[in-house]
Amino acid sequence: MTLEYDLFWSFRSPYSYLVTPRLLAFEREYDVKCNVRPVYPIAVRIDGFFKQVNPMWPPYLLKDTMRVAEMEGLPYAWPSPDPVRMDMKSGEVPKEQPYIHRLTRAGVAAAETGQGLAFLKEISSVIFGGVKNWHEGDHLKEAAARAGLDMDALDRIVEEKADSLEAVIAANEAAQKAAGHWGVPLMVFEGEPFFGQDRLSHLKWRMEQKGLKRR
């Protein structure tokens, strides 16, 4: 029996980017299915979040994510532009967001094709992999193609079905909260949350108790 888990994932989360290749390898090696459930970043979901955050956290996050990327052998740089437009000094996040809505809705549309995890991997590799102006030219189109998808077609769905995609995102965020955590990446198996890129081994351990098998 194929074991399934839900993956709550954000296009602004470096840790989401860093864990995704391992999640793909996990799915290739084991009889497991990842249900991709994109959510908006915490900067968008929680009003004023970055106005209250400890100022030591962002510098540590950058150091830690650089370390993890080096350990995993992944290219890494903070996105240019940032998927969430915000004032880094004040923490102010404007309501108008030109990038993150498109990305998150496209992630939902990709998940509905069954290619969600591959899409997350390829798109985040462009965003966090050191590609400047990743939103311009054919960067996203070529990344989507590597995942077996058509970015133009996804963009049409993003425009034509915005309301229904937003409803899915809202449902994902509600399910994430119900599982017992607010952060990403969050893997949830049989109601048990596993938060963070360093919890994949814990997820695998729990699934092995439930009969996880190699392919």
Side-chain angles (χ1 to χ4, degrees):
M1 180 181 69
T2 301
L3 299 182
E4 298 187 20
Y5 70 96
D6 288 346
L7 172 66
F8 300 94
W9 194 100
S10 158
F11 283 93
R12 201 216 187 185
S13 163
Y15 291 115
S16 290
Y17 157 64
L18 293 168
V19 77
T20 304
R22 281 175 278 152
L23 294 177
L24 276 165
F26 183 41
E27 197 166 83
R28 285 194 301 268
E29 295 170 14
Y30 291 87
D31 188 11
V32 63
K33 179 185 176 184
C34 173
N35 298 313
V36 171
R37 306 190 69 174
V39 297
Y40 282 125
I42 201 166
V44 174
R45 275 186 287 136
I46 302 179
D47 189 39
F49 176 83
F50 279 95
K51 293 181 179 180
Q52 306 173 41
V53 73
N54 190 311
M56 291 190 292
W57 180 47
Y60 176 79
L61 180 144
L62 185 58
K63 290 178 182 178
D64 188 50
T65 50
M66 290 179 68
R67 176 172 55 211
V68 174
E70 182 180 359
M71 185 176 71
E72 294 295 325
L74 295 173
Y76 178 68
W78 192 258
S80 177
D82 192 317
V84 172
R85 181 175 289 174
M86 66 177 287
D87 187 318
M88 298 303 291
K89 291 184 177 180
S90 69
E92 187 68 33
V93 178
K95 295 296 183 184
E96 184 65 29
Q97 291 291 333
Y99 313 124
I100 198 61
H101 293 127
R102 175 196 182 193
L103 290 169
T104 309
R105 292 170 187 167
V108 171
E112 291 176 351
T113 71
Q115 293 295 101
L117 196 56
F119 182 78
L120 300 187
K121 186 262 186 183
E122 296 298 342
I123 296 295
S124 64
S125 294
V126 171
I127 295 173
F128 285 97
V131 178
K132 290 189 176 182
N133 297 316
W134 52 264
H135 62 305
E136 297 179 348
D138 290 334
H139 294 310
L140 295 182
K141 187 173 183 178
E142 291 172 356
R146 290 193 295 271
L149 295 168
D150 184 329
M151 194 68 208
D152 291 336
L154 291 175
D155 279 334
R156 286 194 293 272
I157 294 172
V158 164
E159 291 296 325
E160 296 169 4
K161 299 184 178 181
D163 289 345
S164 60
L165 295 173
E166 283 295 318
V168 174
I169 295 167
N172 290 347
E173 292 172 355
Q176 177 189 27
K177 185 177 179 180
H181 210 283
W182 63 93
V184 293
L186 180 70
M187 292 80 73
V188 179
F189 173 62
E190 294 187 345
E192 183 177 5
F194 299 82
F195 167 64
Q197 62 87 25
D198 54 349
R199 290 296 182 267
L200 177 55
S201 61
H202 297 71
L203 172 66
K204 179 183 173 184
W205 167 77
R206 179 64 81 203
M207 286 184 156
E208 286 173 340
Q209 295 178 332
K210 301 291 184 174
L212 178 66
K213 303 294 184 184
R214 286 186 175 272
R215 292 193 184 278

